[in-house]
Amino acid sequence: SSDSELELSTVRHQPEGLDQLQALTKFTKKELQSLYRGFKNECPTGLVDEDTFKLIYSQFFPQGDATTYAHFLFNAFDADGNGAIHFEDFVVGLSILLRGTVHEKLKWAFNLYDINKDGYITKEEMLAIMKSIYDMMGRHTYPILREDAPLEHVERFFQKMDRNQDGVVTIDEFLETCQ
Amino acid sequence: MAAGVATWLPFARAAAVGWLPLAQQPLPPAPEVKASRGDEVLVVNVSGRRFETWKNTLDRYPDTLLGSSEKEFFYDAESGEYFFDRDPDMFRHVLNFYRTGRLHCPRQECIQAFDEELAFYGLVPELVGDCCLEEYRDRKKENAERLAEDEEAEQAGEGPALPAGSSLRQRLWRAFENPHTSTAALVFYYVTGFFIAVSVIANVVETIPCRGPARRPTREQPCGDRFPMAFFCMDTACVLIFTGEYLLRLFAAPSRCRFLRSVMSLIDVVAILPYYIGLFVPKNDDVSGAFVTLRVFRVFRIFKFSRHSQGLRILGYTLKSCASELGFLLFSLTMAIIIFATVMFYAEKGTSKTNFTSIPAAFWYTIVTMTTLGYGDMVPSTIAGKIFGSICSLSGVLVIALPVPVIVSNFSRIYHQNQRADKRRAQQKVRLARIRLAKSGTTNAFLQYKQNGGLEDSGSGEGQTLCVRSRSAFEQQHHHLLHCLEKTTCHEFTDELTFSEALGAVSLGGRTSRSTSVSSQPTGRSSLNAKPHDSLDLNCASRDFVAAIISIPTPPANTPDESQPSSPGGGGGSGSRSTSTLRNSSLGTPCLLPETVKISSL
């Protein structure tokens, strides 16, 4: 157990300085301070791991199962893919989502849908995302959730998005359709 | 770097002047030091209590919160102090660490709270000073054990909640492991217990000499020989039941290899094997001696009771956990026996007609004396023998008394753990029920809000405000989030009642959910639900996405508080409205109220 204690103590993260973060994001110093206070209160070690993230996110959707979608969200926030969200990731993500231009937001959404981050959204990826969103509704919905509802939704989405009908949606097609 | 070393660095660097004459190569230039302001006093305000300290003190440990630039996140420019919303009593210890280099652990505080403070301020638990380290570790271990038991109890408690589609095998196994789950299992449990008792009693009784009929008063036979048929039938019945039970358990076990290796199954096998061996061994005189020996193993059936008695199991665990102490006891006793037996043998060698014929013969005397039994069948007669005999009995008391308290404390610990586990299991049930209640409370609040027509357009909102229950800012935003999810998926949240109604309506053939929805609406529903459902599907495609403003209160937790990235297909569908759908609404002036950050939804 002393080993695990040691492990825990070394996995601690200090964020970049306030000034660097201010340069990276569109938040003011005060906003960053208040965001950090909240973040630090929840995660004294300075990073959020995936399980904690899933737990927190699930609390907002008590009726359904939010873990799959939380997984995708986690990967979207975790820019450097190291399995934990640091304060920088958190704040940069929030800055895009809250203060970014429409273009940046759409890019972020594209990044969320593109599960393997290869620059293309395939039907399978879209289906996975759609299923995870529908999962959050839970069982008790009105009208009753059919098995193929996510698939239908994906088909409609692809029809509109995929201009050249090659089975994948690129970032340009995506931006074009949504603008 | 270790504690306090930073203060000595300038000294070490100054002393490097001693190398100057000896250096073979020109020494590198000194690093540029930022214009260091004179040492200043920092004010740290922890929940209203002001602590003042030199900046240098805090800089001693640059990889902690207070020693690094991380503290700038807590700097309040107006008052010029660092504000932390934490426990001021605990902060005292943290600050003392910076001052003295030793982190002490408060005796009267909960160890978990202390740990959390350490984690917050970036102090590694290894920094706890030697004076308090042992106590800290002990308390932490105790806590961890208790929490581990909690989790185990939780997992064990999930056992009774068996999934509906479990196979016969799983049901059987569960019936065997937890007899209290069904009446059949309970009956089986008691029946096997009864037969174990019967078998053991039969074994005992068949050796009692019972007086024969009056005509042969002189001959006394054990009952087993007088009524061989009766005892044989009883034995057969018991063995049949035990065999059946063993085979059923083997069939139901989720992991047969593991089951075969477990202690209980070994006991079962040992209990029934002698009978079968006896069946197949012919009534041969040579072998029947061995066969009689096998009957001894029948007494192991009494160990089958350990499935029925928790106390026996605890005793078994205790002995297992005290294996090392028992081993030590055995080893030291053996040593002492050999030593004293040798001494006694040689002391009594001279006497005629002595009992101490050899050293192994003297073992018996030594054991009986060391355990203070003193049967008196072997007694030393020489003076030297008597002296050594008394030393032997005194040392025996000591050697046996030493490991016993360890064993006793182990037993007491395990016993109390068991009691605590039972208590915690009961508390856990209550806790889970309360959590489930809280969860359903959130959903119900949302559904209630919808029913009260809170989702109508803001135009008629004025009239609604009186009847709609006033909600906190958190609730408002949470409901908005759920509402966005509904819009994304074109389905709505309902409660179980309506859901089962709708299910029933659908299953009545012919009437689709579309038509029933309109007719079976309770009148309290908002106007959204009254719309026909085919239009609901299409409307999702062309509905204008409201560019609402949501505020999130700080701390904004770790959820990215954006609305669901709703299917942009909807935005693309309506060409004319495309410009308005993804409007970035009024964020021109991000005026930050002290508590909120404003965002807009897609």
Side-chain angles (χ1 to χ4, degrees):
Chain A
S1 76
S2 58
D3 282 349
S4 65
E5 276 177 48
L6 202 59
E7 210 185 282
L8 266 176
S9 53
T10 49
V11 176
R12 199 188 148 263
H13 185 80
Q14 274 186 348
E16 308 273 346
L18 205 47
D19 302 313
Q20 284 118 303
L21 278 181
Q22 214 186 356
L24 279 175
T25 67
K26 301 199 184 141
F27 291 118
T28 66
K29 251 197 173 119
K30 275 206 149 157
E31 290 169 335
L32 282 173
Q33 280 188 333
S34 78
L35 281 174
Y36 186 69
R37 272 206 301 274
F39 187 82
K40 179 91 177 161
N41 257 328
E42 292 297 313
C43 319
T45 51
L47 27 84
V48 194
D49 64 343
E50 190 163 339
D51 293 325
T52 325
F53 187 76
K54 281 184 180 164
L55 211 67
I56 293 172
Y57 201 70
S58 304
Q59 288 178 2
F60 290 97
F61 302 96
Q63 277 205 325
D65 174 24
T67 45
T68 331
Y69 189 67
H71 170 76
F72 294 133
L73 264 184
F74 186 83
N75 285 339
F77 266 98
D78 186 14
D80 44 5
N82 57 355
I85 297 183
H86 305 143
F87 183 62
E88 292 92 345
D89 301 330
F90 177 66
V91 136
V92 163
L94 265 187
S95 163
I96 295 177
L97 292 171
L98 304 187
R99 302 280 165 90
T101 62
V102 171
H103 188 86
E104 289 172 353
K105 290 185 193 180
L106 287 174
K107 265 181 68 185
W108 193 90
F110 184 86
N111 191 37
L112 173 68
Y113 298 156
D114 185 11
I115 299 177
N116 55 358
K117 319 281 180 229
D118 61 353
Y120 300 105
I121 304 181
T122 63
K123 257 199 190 142
E124 290 78 24
E125 290 175 340
M126 203 59 227
L127 189 59
I129 299 258
M130 199 63 75
K131 273 207 198 129
S132 66
I133 295 181
Y134 275 82
D135 278 344
M136 287 197 282
M137 292 294 297
R139 278 180 58 239
H140 304 306
T141 58
Y142 182 79
I144 300 163
L145 210 48
R146 295 190 314 273
E147 279 294 318
D148 55 351
L151 190 57
E152 259 186 60
H153 206 153
V154 170
E155 293 293 335
R156 265 181 279 145
F157 171 77
F158 253 75
Q159 262 178 5
K160 296 202 182 77
M161 290 276 138
D162 194 7
R163 287 298 159 84
N164 53 1
Q165 299 295 325
D166 58 353
V168 290
V169 177
T170 63
I171 177 83
D172 303 309
E173 290 173 342
F174 188 79
L175 290 170
E176 216 181 301
T177 324
C178 295
Q179 292 277 318
Chain B
M1 292 283 275
V5 166
T7 4
W8 292 97
L9 187 59
F11 172 76
R13 292 185 65 220
V17 168
W19 303 337
L20 267 178
L22 305 170
Q24 290 184 335
Q25 295 174 337
L27 296 176
E32 256 193 49
V33 175
K34 280 186 294 194
S36 54
R37 303 167 290 189
D39 202 7
E40 47 172 336
V41 172
L42 298 180
V43 180
V44 178
N45 183 348
V46 182
S47 300
R49 210 189 293 180
R50 279 191 173 68
F51 295 87
E52 301 185 12
T53 179
W54 293 114
K55 185 167 183 303
N56 276 352
T57 316
L58 296 179
D59 284 343
R60 278 190 206 150
Y61 300 97
D63 52 358
T64 59
L65 188 155
L66 290 172
S68 66
S69 62
E70 201 180 333
K71 64 177 182 279
E72 301 302 322
F73 280 99
F74 298 91
Y75 184 68
D76 185 6
E78 290 158 13
S79 46
E81 55 190 23
Y82 295 89
F83 181 75
F84 292 98
D85 195 11
R86 310 287 296 191
D87 188 355
D89 292 323
M90 295 287 207
F91 186 73
R92 208 169 48 84
H93 298 280
V94 169
L95 197 51
N96 278 337
F97 167 67
Y98 286 91
R99 292 175 180 148
T100 64
R102 264 187 292 277
L103 182 59
H104 296 280
C105 170
R107 294 279 148 97
Q108 64 274 26
E109 302 281 353
C110 171
I111 204 74
Q112 189 96 333
F114 184 64
D115 251 355
E116 281 169 14
E117 293 298 312
L118 286 188
F120 182 85
Y121 291 108
L123 297 176
V124 163
E126 278 70 35
L127 289 171
V128 175
D130 289 332
C131 38
C132 300
L133 187 59
E134 197 185 314
E135 193 199 323
Y136 173 75
R137 280 255 156 90
D138 285 340
R139 281 164 74 182
K140 255 191 103 165
K141 205 160 67 136
E142 209 184 293
N143 240 6
E145 273 177 9
R146 219 176 295 152
L147 286 176
E149 280 166 28
D150 252 341
E151 280 178 23
E152 268 178 40
E154 213 176 285
Q155 283 169 8
E158 316 245 313
L162 203 61
S166 57
S167 66
L168 174 70
R169 227 179 114 174
Q170 284 173 325
R171 277 209 304 265
L172 212 55
W173 181 249
R174 206 191 53 156
F176 278 132
E177 293 299 299
N178 307 323
H180 307 283
T181 45
S182 71
T183 19
L186 209 56
V187 164
F188 184 76
Y189 177 77
Y190 282 126
V191 161
T192 42
F194 174 70
F195 272 98
I196 297 174
V198 160
S199 163
V200 169
I201 291 175
N203 282 349
V204 167
V205 166
E206 76 181 358
T207 59
I208 300 178
C210 34
R211 260 176 293 134
R215 19 197 184 100
R216 281 188 280 195
T218 48
R219 278 247 291 227
E220 280 213 352
Q221 275 180 326
C223 286
D225 291 340
R226 266 188 52 85
F227 308 101
M229 250 0 250
F231 281 104
F232 181 72
C233 291
M234 222 180 316
D235 205 22
T236 314
C238 293
V239 168
L240 277 176
I241 301 235
F242 296 151
T243 320
E245 184 203 349
Y246 179 68
L247 289 174
L248 274 178
R249 274 185 207 262
L250 190 61
F251 165 68
S255 155
R256 300 229 168 98
C257 300
R258 205 160 52 103
F259 175 73
L260 282 175
R261 284 199 304 257
S262 73
V263 175
M264 289 311 302
S265 90
L266 281 176
I267 293 179
D268 289 336
V269 168
V270 168
I272 58 180
L273 218 46
Y275 177 81
Y276 288 111
I277 296 182
L279 274 187
F280 296 125
V281 159
K283 285 278 192 260
N284 206 342
D285 273 334
D286 315 325
V287 196
S288 63
F291 168 61
V292 166
T293 327
L294 271 180
R295 287 177 138 209
V296 166
F297 285 98
R298 289 188 305 174
V299 82
F300 278 93
R301 289 183 195 159
I302 209 171
F303 282 116
K304 285 170 71 73
F305 266 131
S306 57
R307 272 217 187 89
H308 297 250
S309 154
Q310 183 140 5
L312 260 183
R313 277 203 298 267
I314 294 180
L315 193 61
Y317 288 146
T318 315
L319 291 177
K320 205 163 56 159
S321 71
C322 303
S324 62
E325 279 84 25
L326 285 175
F328 163 69
L329 177 64
L330 213 60
F331 178 67
S332 56
L333 266 181
T334 316
M335 257 180 31
I337 288 172
I338 295 179
I339 292 176
F340 280 108
T342 316
V343 166
M344 291 305 297
F345 172 70
Y346 283 112
E348 292 286 306
K349 198 159 180 215
T351 5
S352 57
K353 284 203 282 217
T354 181
N355 279 332
F356 295 81
T357 47
S358 66
I359 294 187
F363 280 168
W364 175 243
Y365 168 77
T366 326
I367 292 175
V368 165
T369 316
M370 280 185 96
T371 52
T372 70
L373 280 174
Y375 288 134
D377 53 352
M378 283 168 83
V379 176
S381 28
T382 60
I383 296 188
K386 288 189 179 153
I387 292 177
F388 286 120
S390 35
I391 298 179
C392 176
S393 69
L394 286 173
S395 63
V397 168
L398 277 175
V399 167
I400 292 182
L402 283 177
V404 167
V406 178
I407 298 175
V408 164
S409 78
N410 256 350
F411 180 81
S412 147
R413 186 175 57 92
I414 295 179
Y415 180 71
H416 282 127
Q417 260 181 13
N418 245 301
Q419 285 202 319
R420 265 212 317 257
D422 289 335
K423 195 167 56 162
R424 197 159 304 113
R425 227 167 289 158
Q427 284 174 351
Q428 197 74 340
K429 285 200 191 127
V430 176
R431 235 183 36 183
L432 285 174
R434 231 183 291 144
I435 291 175
R436 239 174 284 136
L437 208 65
K439 258 192 166 183
S440 62
T442 340
T443 337
N444 287 344
F446 182 57
L447 296 172
Q448 190 71 23
Y449 168 60
K450 284 208 307 187
Q451 274 197 352
N452 291 342
L455 294 182
E456 300 202 353
D457 294 328
S458 53
S460 54
E462 313 293 327
Q464 297 289 337
T465 42
L466 290 174
C467 16
V468 171
R469 194 172 62 94
S470 68
R471 307 168 298 153
S472 65
F474 176 77
E475 266 191 5
Q476 279 181 345
Q477 290 163 17
H478 190 202
H479 291 170
H480 180 264
L481 185 63
L482 294 175
H483 192 205
C484 289
L485 183 60
E486 285 185 337
K487 287 291 197 296
T488 313
T489 56
C490 302
H491 288 76
E492 291 177 9
F493 288 107
T494 60
D495 52 13
E496 272 193 57
L497 209 57
T498 339
F499 180 67
S500 36
E501 274 175 27
L503 251 185
V506 165
S507 60
L508 295 176
R511 299 166 69 193
T512 64
S513 55
R514 302 181 175 190
S515 44
T516 42
S517 60
V518 182
S519 49
S520 63
Q521 298 282 332
T523 45
R525 290 289 190 115
S526 70
S527 53
L528 285 171
N529 303 339
K531 286 199 189 115
H533 280 274
D534 34 9
S535 68
L536 194 65
D537 285 313
L538 295 175
N539 273 354
C540 273
S542 61
R543 194 167 293 166
D544 191 2
F545 293 111
V546 180
I549 302 213
I550 347 178
S551 336
I552 48 175
T554 53
N558 293 314
T559 60
D561 220 50
E562 28 92 276
S563 67
Q564 308 310 316
S566 3
S567 156
S574 44
S576 58
R577 298 205 237 185
S578 53
T579 48
S580 61
T581 49
L582 302 168
R583 196 178 352 143
N584 202 357
S585 73
S586 62
L587 257 199
T589 55
C591 55
L592 180 69
L593 302 176
E595 304 303 294
T596 62
V597 176
K598 295 191 196 271
I599 70 172
S600 79
S601 70
L602 270 175

